[in-house]
Amino acid sequence: MALQKISFKVPPGLWESFSKQARGLFLNRAPFLNHMIAREAGELAEDIGQCHLSLRAKRHISGALKKQGAKSVNIEVAQSTAKALNEVVSETNLVRDAFFCRLIIFLRSSDALLKYLEIPREVGMFGDNLERMPSSPMRAMEAVRDDPLFYIRHHVKERWDCGIYAVRLPRELDWTACYIEDKDAPGTKAYKEDQRQSAELFELLEANAFKKVPVLKRMHAK
C-alpha cells in the first residue's frame, strides 16, 4: 500500500484527548484515521450532496478554527485515501480541517454531544431494533472496526433527518462545520438579510405582545 503524508489542523486539546483515548485502546492513530477517512469519504459526499460551500462561509469556518488555536498534525495515509478525500473537498469546497475535527469529535462522542443531539448514551436503551453487538470480544471489535459510527449515524438520521456531516451543531462548533448556508455565515448578504428579517419579526411580535387587549362587555340577560 503506497502511503503519503497529509497534514490537518486541529485544536490541541481535542487532539490530545483523542490521542489519550487511542493510546488507552492500543490504537495506532495514523492507520486508524486512514481507515476512518477511507470509510467516511463516501458518507461525507452523500451528506453534503450537491451543496457547495461559498467563499465567505469557508472563511468563516476557517476563521472559527483559527480562533481555537488549531495546530498542524501530520499522519501517513494510503494514497487512495487521500485521493478520495481530496475529491470530496474539491467538489464541495469544504474546509478539510473542519472535516477532520468533526470526525474526531464524533468518534469521541462525549456525553454533552450525545445529549445535544438527543442520542442515547447506550445502545438499545429505548428498545431499538438495531443490529446487536457480537458476544465474542474479537468479533465485537471487528464489528466496531468495520463501521465505528454506525449507531451514531443511525440516531442522527432518525432524529435530524440528515447525516453526521450535515447536522447542525452549536454555533460555538462552527469550526467543525462541513457545510453551512450563507445565511448562517456572518458577513454575507444572506446573513445580513436573515438578521434584518429576524429583527423585523421580533419587533412585530413585541409590538403585538404589549397591545391592549380589548375587554368584552358582559352580556346581561334581559
Side-chain angles (χ1 to χ4, degrees), residues 94-158:
L94 64 82
V95 179
R96 194 180 70 162
D97 296 339
F99 159 71
F100 277 101
C101 290
R102 177 167 287 231
L103 175 61
I104 292 172
I105 281 178
F106 271 99
L107 283 172
R108 298 193 68 238
S109 285
S110 65
D111 288 349
L113 178 66
L114 296 179
K115 182 177 180 180
Y116 177 82
L117 293 174
E118 300 178 24
I119 298 174
R121 290 176 57 190
E122 297 178 11
V123 176
M125 282 184 65
F126 301 115
D128 54 58
N129 294 315
L130 294 175
E131 180 181 336
R132 299 306 178 192
M133 189 68 68
S135 297
S136 164
M138 296 296 282
R139 289 182 179 176
M141 286 188 278
E142 288 174 344
V144 172
R145 176 206 62 193
D146 291 343
D147 191 359
L149 296 171
F150 173 78
Y151 294 107
I152 299 292
R153 195 184 334 272
H154 168 82
H155 284 292
V156 168
K157 287 185 176 180
E158 283 288 308

Side-chain angles (χ1 to χ4, degrees), residues 20-199:
K20 182 178 180 180
Q21 282 188 302
R23 288 194 299 269
L25 294 169
F26 310 108
L27 289 175
N28 190 325
R29 293 173 307 187
F32 176 58
L33 286 176
N34 173 70
H35 169 69
M36 289 306 307
I37 298 164
R39 205 216 165 280
E40 293 297 304
E43 298 287 350
L44 174 63
E46 182 177 342
D47 288 358
I48 304 302
Q50 300 300 312
C51 295
H52 189 83
L53 192 67
S54 72
L55 181 59
R56 293 299 294 271
K58 187 171 185 176
R59 286 175 178 171
H60 168 66
I61 295 171
S62 297
L65 181 57
K66 186 177 182 179
K67 290 178 181 178
Q68 298 300 313
K71 301 296 183 181
S72 184
V73 172
N74 298 303
I75 61 172
E76 280 193 330
V77 300
Q79 290 182 354
S80 58
T81 299
K83 181 181 178 182
L85 178 58
N86 288 338
E87 287 177 353
V88 181
V89 171
S90 178
E91 285 291 323
T92 60
N93 198 41
L94 64 82
V95 179
R96 194 180 70 162
D97 296 339
F99 159 71
F100 277 101
C101 290
R102 177 167 287 231
L103 175 61
I104 292 172
I105 281 178
F106 271 99
L107 283 172
R108 298 193 68 238
S109 285
S110 65
D111 288 349
L113 178 66
L114 296 179
K115 182 177 180 180
Y116 177 82
L117 293 174
E118 300 178 24
I119 298 174
R121 290 176 57 190
E122 297 178 11
V123 176
M125 282 184 65
F126 301 115
D128 54 58
N129 294 315
L130 294 175
E131 180 181 336
R132 299 306 178 192
M133 189 68 68
S135 297
S136 164
M138 296 296 282
R139 289 182 179 176
M141 286 188 278
E142 288 174 344
V144 172
R145 176 206 62 193
D146 291 343
D147 191 359
L149 296 171
F150 173 78
Y151 294 107
I152 299 292
R153 195 184 334 272
H154 168 82
H155 284 292
V156 168
K157 287 185 176 180
E158 283 288 308
R159 176 64 182 85
W160 304 102
D161 195 29
C162 64
I164 62 175
Y165 301 109
V167 69
R168 285 302 306 269
L169 297 180
R171 294 307 306 265
E172 291 78 8
L173 294 177
D174 272 0
W175 47 276
T176 70
C178 293
Y179 177 78
I180 59 174
E181 297 181 19
D182 274 6
K183 67 181 183 66
D184 294 319
T188 62
K189 290 182 179 180
Y191 178 85
K192 293 176 181 178
E193 177 62 19
D194 187 65
Q195 293 294 301
R196 183 188 65 79
Q197 292 180 0
S198 295

